[in-house]
Amino acid sequence: KTTTKYNLAFNSKGECYSQSVEGIGEDVFTAEIINHGWEQVELHEIFDNGNVEYADYWEERDGGGIASPFYIDNTVLTQYLSTTAYPPGEDMGYRNYDYTFEDSAIRINTTMNIEDKNIPMYRILEVDTDLMICIEFIGISGYNNKKIFGLAAYRRMSAEELEECRQKYTQNWSEE
């Protein structure tokens, strides 16, 4: 476990935020995030005390792997996913989410069994030309039904990589 320059904490809703970095504004979001694909390069779990796990979140975990890429335009966030729940050939798809951007967070509505359905999927702390650092909603703990967040780094995908991704993840799971 380690601390970061972001001085991470949790609010009364159980959402993680930075006490020392304001995050990006609407102007940076529009110029640097929208109309690009993003691919996760690392993820570290954030603990209740704001410390971050040194090891990658997915290291030595069964049944999971690095987060799927996503693309975001002016109104829709498209997340590309793969699952073993479907037979081969139908196991790679995408899900579209309407989103809002507020307080440096991309918020989506989820179908998960949690009280507040509007979650901060990605709270963007900083971005440069090709790298985005964010607090990412990972999921819900099966043990205590608590939200799990991680500190993530995403790499901006090239136009060719994004097109390859779209050709690979063809099943539309948005309505499921």
Side-chain angles (χ1 to χ4, degrees):
K1 299 175 187 174
T2 187
T3 59
T4 70
K5 69 178 184 178
Y6 302 111
N7 194 14
L8 302 168
F10 291 85
N11 65 21
S12 61
K13 291 181 170 182
E15 297 174 353
C16 189
Y17 67 98
S18 172
Q19 298 180 92
S20 58
V21 175
E22 209 172 290
I24 67 166
E26 186 86 34
D27 56 336
V28 173
F29 179 70
T30 301
E32 300 292 334
I33 305 297
I34 288 181
N35 295 322
H36 294 286
W38 295 91
E39 182 174 52
Q40 189 183 91
V41 291
E42 61 182 288
L43 176 68
H44 304 274
E45 184 174 359
I46 302 168
F47 298 107
D48 292 341
N49 63 4
N51 286 348
V52 176
E53 177 67 49
Y54 185 75
D56 190 273
Y57 181 78
W58 297 112
E59 194 172 297
E60 298 186 25
R61 275 196 164 76
D62 290 331
I66 201 154
S68 302
F70 71 91
Y71 172 81
I72 191 162
D73 67 19
N74 289 322
T75 59
V76 174
L77 181 144
T78 301
Q79 192 173 39
Y80 299 96
L81 310 158
S82 61
T83 180
T84 57
Y86 294 108
E90 298 176 21
D91 58 343
M92 300 182 85
Y94 62 93
R95 187 176 297 259
N96 291 320
Y97 297 94
D98 293 333
Y99 73 89
T100 58
F101 180 77
E102 59 186 59
D103 191 25
S104 76
I106 300 168
R107 300 183 79 86
I108 64 168
N109 286 314
T110 181
T111 57
M112 287 184 210
N113 188 23
I114 56 176
E115 192 173 315
D116 185 3
K117 301 289 188 196
N118 185 258
I119 57 168
M121 189 68 185
Y122 307 98
R123 184 174 302 279
I124 305 168
L125 301 175
E126 55 186 314
V127 63
D128 68 18
T129 306
D130 294 318
L131 190 68
M132 173 178 67
I133 306 296
C134 64
I135 298 168
E136 180 175 349
F137 174 75
I138 300 173
I140 302 293
S141 169
Y143 175 71
N144 59 11
N145 209 33
K146 191 178 88 173
K147 296 174 187 169
I148 304 169
F149 289 90
L151 186 62
Y154 277 80
R155 178 186 65 79
R156 182 178 293 161
M157 299 169 70
S158 69
E160 294 79 23
E161 289 171 318
L162 181 58
E163 186 55 34
E164 285 175 20
C165 185
R166 289 176 169 155
Q167 296 298 319
K168 184 177 175 183
Y169 296 89
T170 57
Q171 301 293 314
N172 184 348
W173 296 332
S174 298
E175 302 302 319
E176 295 183 15

